[in-house]
Amino acid sequence: MNGLRQWWSLPVDYGWNVAYARSQRGLDITRVLIGILCWLYAGAAAIALSIPGFADSSLARLPLWFTVVTTVPVGLIWLIGGWPSWRVSIAFVLYADVVLAAVLLTTDGPSAVLPIAALFTVMGAYVAGFHGPKLFAFHHGFAFVTAVALYVSAMVNDPAERLQTNLYFVMLILVMFAGPLIGHSFLMLLRRDATGAFYDPLTGLRNRRGFDAAIGNLESRSGANMSLVTVVIDIDNFKAVNDRYGHEHGDAVIRTTANRILEVFPAPAVTVRLGGEEFAAVCVDGLDTVVEQSERLRVRLCDSTDRAPLTASLGIAHAVVEMGDIESAVNELLGHADEAMYHAKRLGGDRVALYGGDSLSSGDVNELQ
């Protein structure tokens, strides 16, 4: 019971799952396969319509025709479109489950149709890969209710096939539930451990690996071009803090800095601890807005009530980039923002510097604007 409770309470981050799959170069392949599977469903429905005696009544033919008509465009959307949002993904699961159940429950000969309910396992694999325990439980609960309804109908309407129906039902339960449930449980536990490899244990910010995965997820945003602004933040004279107050206090300063960065640059901004006392944020926003936020962060970091008041140097770089070239653009912008940050340090620190091509400007926000 404890294991089941732990599995049920496991957190799930759909965006992280998508970003991780994209970082492993597996998302586009998965998207194409799902599109092809949708077309295979359409082909299977079309074949069923042509089988004599399989779906003779109008009630049975209607869901099959609906499957043919709708799964073709749905498959095309998967093939040529981007990866769906969380809400659209859930809608896709509900659509697939309801349509399959409608086909199964209206087709003549429930004892012959019962094995086809194993098709619920296909959608179960998608749910296990990208969603959490709750949707997984809903999907399999819905599949189980459908299978039981088919089983009861077959036992009542096909008494001569009861022994075969019992065999089909037992095999169906094994296929639909035993393997997927065990696999999903282990997958969720492994995913929880893998998530830890993407975050810095001291601050809770992304590490460089997690940062790269999150940047890849920006490509799923709509629009032809994207305004990207990168900010690099480095604590001034951090070594002196460690030397005077000790490394334990230095760790506390790092955590405080990370918390204040998150206050000023909340999601959907992507924040990262690059290493040591250096941090970065990537914002999909206008330059003026991010410059204002950066100045607010500079003031927020220099808090006179802290035990060891600190200052920071911030560098900013901005560009409008095309979709599909975001990863390389962010890396280039980080380099430019890093240059601007070191320029701010050379001027004495505790300031914001803006990279502007071959020139650098620095000062308070009013001077930058």
Side-chain angles (χ1 to χ4, degrees):
M1 288 301 295
N2 287 335
L4 184 61
R5 193 179 301 110
Q6 182 185 25
W7 168 75
W8 181 257
S9 62
L10 282 173
V12 61
D13 186 340
Y14 175 77
W16 183 91
N17 293 340
V18 173
Y20 180 77
R22 179 179 285 110
S23 70
Q24 302 302 309
R25 310 300 180 190
L27 201 63
D28 288 339
I29 296 174
T30 303
R31 182 171 52 79
V32 170
L33 287 175
I34 293 174
I36 294 173
L37 287 173
C38 288
W39 287 353
L40 288 176
Y41 268 94
I47 293 172
L49 284 167
S50 64
I51 297 176
F54 187 80
D56 290 337
S57 66
S58 57
L59 180 62
R61 297 179 71 84
L62 182 61
L64 287 171
W65 274 114
F66 182 82
T67 302
V68 173
V69 171
T70 59
T71 51
V72 171
V74 168
L76 184 62
I77 291 172
W78 274 103
L79 287 171
I80 65 175
W83 194 266
S85 66
W86 176 73
R87 293 182 184 277
V88 174
S89 179
I90 291 179
F92 173 68
V93 174
L94 296 178
Y95 155 79
D97 282 354
V98 171
V99 170
L100 178 57
V103 170
L104 294 173
L105 294 174
T106 57
T107 302
D108 301 327
S111 59
V113 174
L114 186 59
I116 302 177
L119 287 175
F120 278 112
T121 309
V122 178
M123 184 52 65
Y126 172 80
V127 173
F130 293 96
H131 290 277
K134 293 178 177 60
L135 186 61
F136 184 87
F138 172 83
H139 164 77
H140 281 80
F142 183 84
F144 179 73
V145 170
T146 303
V148 168
L150 279 173
Y151 172 73
V152 172
S153 177
M155 294 294 284
V156 172
N157 297 313
D158 297 327
E161 304 292 337
R162 285 181 178 177
L163 188 60
Q164 178 178 287
T165 298
N166 284 318
L167 175 62
Y168 283 162
F169 187 69
V170 171
M171 294 177 62
L172 183 63
I173 295 301
L174 289 173
V175 170
M176 289 175 59
F177 298 102
L181 183 58
I182 295 172
H184 180 66
S185 300
F186 277 99
L187 180 62
M188 289 296 296
L189 293 172
L190 290 172
R191 184 178 291 158
R192 181 191 63 182
D193 293 339
T195 303
F198 282 69
Y199 290 88
D200 171 50
L202 179 62
T203 64
L205 294 179
R206 292 176 178 85
N207 58 21
R208 189 56 196 251
R209 185 181 180 188
F211 178 74
D212 291 340
I215 291 303
N217 198 35
L218 290 175
E219 297 184 8
S220 65
R221 294 173 180 269
S222 60
N225 296 318
M226 182 181 293
S227 174
L228 283 179
V229 186
T230 60
V231 184
V232 172
I233 307 110
D234 192 272
I235 301 173
D236 296 328
N237 301 315
F238 182 69
K239 184 177 182 300
V241 174
N242 274 334
D243 292 343
R244 181 175 179 182
Y245 296 98
H247 289 281
E248 185 175 347
H249 180 74
D251 288 346
V253 168
I254 292 293
R255 285 192 294 268
T256 299
T257 301
N259 291 335
R260 291 173 182 174
I261 290 172
L262 285 174
E263 288 175 10
V264 177
F265 292 107
V270 179
T271 51
V272 57
R273 183 188 180 193
L274 295 174
E277 66 274 20
E278 188 172 13
F279 305 84
V282 175
C283 308
V284 183
D285 211 334
L287 176 60
D288 290 344
T289 299
V290 178
V291 167
E292 181 181 343
Q293 289 174 299
S294 299
E295 176 62 17
R296 191 162 71 248
L297 175 60
R298 183 192 69 81
V299 174
R300 180 74 180 89
L301 290 174
C302 186
D303 192 331
S304 59
T305 64
D306 291 340
R307 177 187 174 189
L310 57 89
T311 62
S313 299
L314 293 82
I316 302 175
H318 167 257
V320 177
V321 302
E322 296 181 357
M323 296 297 294
D325 194 34
I326 292 177
E327 189 173 345
S328 59
V330 166
N331 288 328
E332 183 177 353
L333 285 172
L334 279 175
H336 293 330
D338 202 51
E339 290 182 44
M341 182 271 295
Y342 278 110
H343 179 70
K345 281 191 177 295
R346 287 193 295 269
L347 294 176
D350 190 20
R351 67 187 66 221
V352 176
L354 175 64
Y355 183 88
D358 296 330
S359 62
L360 291 162
S361 58
S362 65
D364 291 336
V365 66
N366 291 333
E367 291 177 295
L368 282 170
Q369 293 177 328

